[in-house]
């Protein structure tokens, strides 16, 4: 099997997994007693399996499970490691992704978008493709591109938590 060494592609794949996790937690968290659980309806799971088969395994893994910030980060990191590190990409690539300024800025920009659009996203359910389409539109705005470029040129680390070195 030939594994890619393209850091930019690996960053896009990892970013999509982080975004997918955010989407799941945004719409499918239920409170049970003192704990938060992810509960994805069967029809949504079927849609994920059909539209995003590579992400379905992640949805299935976290479905009907307790979730908190630490577990979420561990789930994402282990999924990224299992699906990308040494599988799709050479094992030296993922650590480069998580240290990459572009990846960190993109994670930051996604979180900015999410905070800015939270009330709109909360009004009615939007599937993951809808989220990505809306984000893509926002991302293409001149002022957003200028802000991203400014962050990249400044060299300032936006301090987005990511996975540590994968093994």
């Amino acid at each position: 099997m030939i594994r890619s060494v393209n850091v930019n592609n690996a960053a896009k794949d990892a970013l999509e997994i982080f975004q997918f996790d955010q989407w799941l937690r945004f719409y499918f968290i239920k409170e049970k007693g003192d704990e938060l659980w992810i509960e994805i309806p069967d029809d949504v799971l079927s849609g994920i399996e059909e539209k995003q088969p590579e992400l379905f395994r992640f949805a299935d893994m976290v479905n009907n499970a307790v979730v908190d910030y630490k577990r979420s980060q561990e789930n994402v990191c282990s999924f990224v490691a299992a699906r990308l590190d040494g599988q799709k990409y050479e094992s030296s690539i993922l650590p480069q992704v998580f240290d990459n300024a572009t990846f960190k800025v993109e994670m930051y920009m996604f979180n900015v978008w999410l905070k800015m659009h939270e009330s709109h996203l909360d009004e009615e359910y939007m599937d993951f493709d809808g989220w990505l389409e809306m984000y893509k539109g926002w991302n293409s705005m001149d002022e957003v591109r200028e802000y991203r470029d400014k962050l990249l040129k400044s060299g300032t680390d936006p301090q987005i938590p990511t996975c540590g070195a994968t093994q």
Side-chain angles (χ1 to χ4, degrees), residues 26-158:
F26 190 85
Y27 286 116
F28 305 111
I29 286 189
K30 305 287 183 217
E31 200 170 332
K32 290 185 178 181
D34 293 340
E35 297 177 316
L36 298 175
W37 287 68
I38 291 186
E39 292 182 357
I40 307 167
D42 291 340
D43 62 323
V44 174
L45 268 178
S46 296
I48 294 168
E49 188 172 24
E50 182 182 314
K51 292 180 180 179
Q52 292 98 7
E54 67 286 347
L55 295 172
F56 171 75
R57 290 185 178 122
F58 181 79
D60 193 47
M61 176 181 82
V62 300
N63 192 26
N64 296 315
V66 174
V67 67
D68 56 30
Y69 179 79
K70 184 177 185 230
R71 283 185 183 112
S72 178
Q73 190 171 18
E74 288 170 355
N75 288 337
V76 170
C77 292
S78 65
F79 188 79
V80 166
R83 299 292 177 240
L84 303 180
D85 192 31
Q87 301 296 320
K88 187 172 183 178
Y89 298 97
E90 286 293 330
S91 58
S92 63
I93 299 303
L94 268 289
Q96 292 177 56
V97 165
F98 299 124
D99 288 336
N100 183 288
T102 301
F103 175 78
K104 290 179 180 185
V105 167
E106 290 306 318
M107 284 292 302
Y108 175 76
M109 295 301 289
F110 182 76
N111 286 318
V112 167
W113 170 81
L114 186 56
K115 284 185 172 110
M116 288 178 68
H117 294 85
E118 187 173 356
S119 62
H120 175 73
L121 295 169
D122 214 15
E123 286 177 14
E124 66 180 70
Y125 171 77
M126 186 181 299
D127 68 12
F128 186 59
D129 287 341
W131 262 43
L132 293 181
E133 191 62 34
M134 189 175 167
Y135 176 64
K136 184 179 173 184
W138 177 81
N139 226 0
S140 67
M141 296 171 60
D142 288 340
E143 54 270 24
V144 173
R145 286 197 315 264
E146 289 168 12
Y147 181 58
R148 176 186 296 99
D149 291 346
K150 183 179 172 183
L151 286 173
L152 287 169
K153 287 177 184 164
S154 74
T156 304
D157 185 344

